[in-house]
Amino acid sequence: RELTTYNEVADELVKEFKMDTTMVFDEKNIRRRIYDALNVLMAMDVITRDRKNIRWKGFPVTNEETRETVLSRIDVLEKSIRKKSREIEKKAFHFLGLKNIVKRNTEQGIGETLETDKCKLQIPFVLAQTKDIHDVELEIHSDRKRASLYFSNKFELHDDKSVLDLMEMHKVEDEESLKQAFPNCPEISSLLLKKRPDIVRKPPSSS
C-alpha cells in the first residue's frame, strides 16, 4: 500500500510472527525494531511521515541507474544541439544572402534607368529550369494572384533560397563583415566561422 500508519505496519508484522506457533518472541521488542526500521527508511527518503500517516516513496535509484539515465539524457541533448546548430546555420545563410541582395540592389541604383532595374533581384522568386528547349505556357488567373505554368517536358523549380545558395550570396568579404551582420548575437558568427570557414571570401592574413 502507498499510504499506511506505524500501527498498521507493526500489527501486520506481529501477526505474521504469531502465525508461527514454534517461534517465541517479545512483541514490544518487535514493535520497537519496526519503529527503528521505519526511521531508517525515512532517513533514506524511501518513506515520508505526516503525523501518524506513512507514505511510500520508493527506493532511490542506484548509481549505475543514475549514470545510465544521465548518459541517455546527454545523448538526447547533444542530438538536439546538433539539429538546432544546423537550423541556425541554414537560417543564418539565408539571412546573409538576403542582406547581400539588398546591398547588391542598392549598388545598382534606385530607379535610375530601366536597365538597372532589370539587373535587380526581386525577392521572393521562383526559378524554372529545364535542360531541353521546349514550349512553356504561362497563364495568369483573373484574380492576378495566381499563375499557372505548363511545360512540354521535364523541369525543375528552385526557390530563391536555393538560388541564393548556388550564387554563394551568403558569403562575406571578411570576418569583420560577418560579425557586423550579427551584432547582437556574436555566437552565430563564431559558429559559422567554426563550421564553415569558407563563408569568408578573404581569410585573415597571417602575420
Side-chain angles (χ1 to χ4, degrees), residues 16-170:
E16 289 185 13
F17 277 106
K18 287 182 177 180
M19 291 177 65
D20 188 351
T21 56
T22 63
M23 183 178 295
V24 179
F25 63 92
D26 182 355
E27 182 174 334
K28 290 184 178 180
N29 187 50
I30 292 295
R31 290 182 179 274
R32 283 195 296 269
R33 298 289 78 79
I34 293 172
Y35 184 79
D36 292 340
L38 291 176
N39 283 335
V40 172
L41 291 176
M42 276 191 293
M44 295 173 61
D45 202 30
V46 175
I47 62 174
T48 57
R49 185 172 65 180
D50 181 15
R51 297 182 182 179
K52 293 184 179 181
N53 293 324
I54 297 173
R55 184 178 299 276
W56 174 264
K57 292 182 64 177
F59 289 103
V61 296
T62 63
N63 288 337
E64 184 61 27
E65 289 173 329
T66 303
R67 178 177 178 275
E68 291 299 322
T69 301
V70 171
L71 290 176
S72 176
R73 180 61 178 162
I74 290 174
D75 183 59
V76 170
L77 290 174
E78 286 180 344
K79 289 180 180 177
S80 177
I81 290 172
R82 287 194 293 269
K83 180 180 178 181
K84 291 185 183 298
S85 295
R86 289 192 296 268
E87 292 175 354
I88 291 174
E89 182 181 340
K90 289 179 181 179
K91 291 183 182 297
F93 274 28
H94 193 203
F95 171 77
L96 290 171
L98 294 175
K99 193 177 182 68
N100 286 332
I101 284 297
V102 172
K103 179 182 177 182
R104 177 183 180 278
N105 287 348
T106 302
E107 291 173 350
Q108 292 291 334
I110 304 176
E112 293 181 353
T113 64
L114 185 60
E115 291 301 319
T116 56
D117 281 344
K118 287 181 179 180
C119 294
K120 297 177 183 178
L121 280 175
Q122 304 296 327
I123 302 292
F125 65 84
V126 176
L127 178 67
Q129 180 185 19
T130 178
K131 295 181 180 180
D132 302 319
I133 299 176
H134 56 264
D135 297 331
V136 179
E137 294 183 11
L138 172 63
E139 178 184 342
I140 305 294
H141 292 260
S142 57
D143 58 9
R144 295 189 175 276
K145 294 181 180 180
R146 295 172 297 157
S148 298
L149 285 170
Y150 301 94
F151 294 83
S152 60
N153 209 331
K154 293 182 179 180
F155 65 95
E156 293 180 4
L157 291 178
H158 306 277
D159 61 5
D160 52 65
K161 182 178 179 301
S162 59
V163 174
L164 293 180
D165 288 343
L166 291 172
M167 295 173 63
E168 296 187 339
M169 292 301 295
H170 58 274

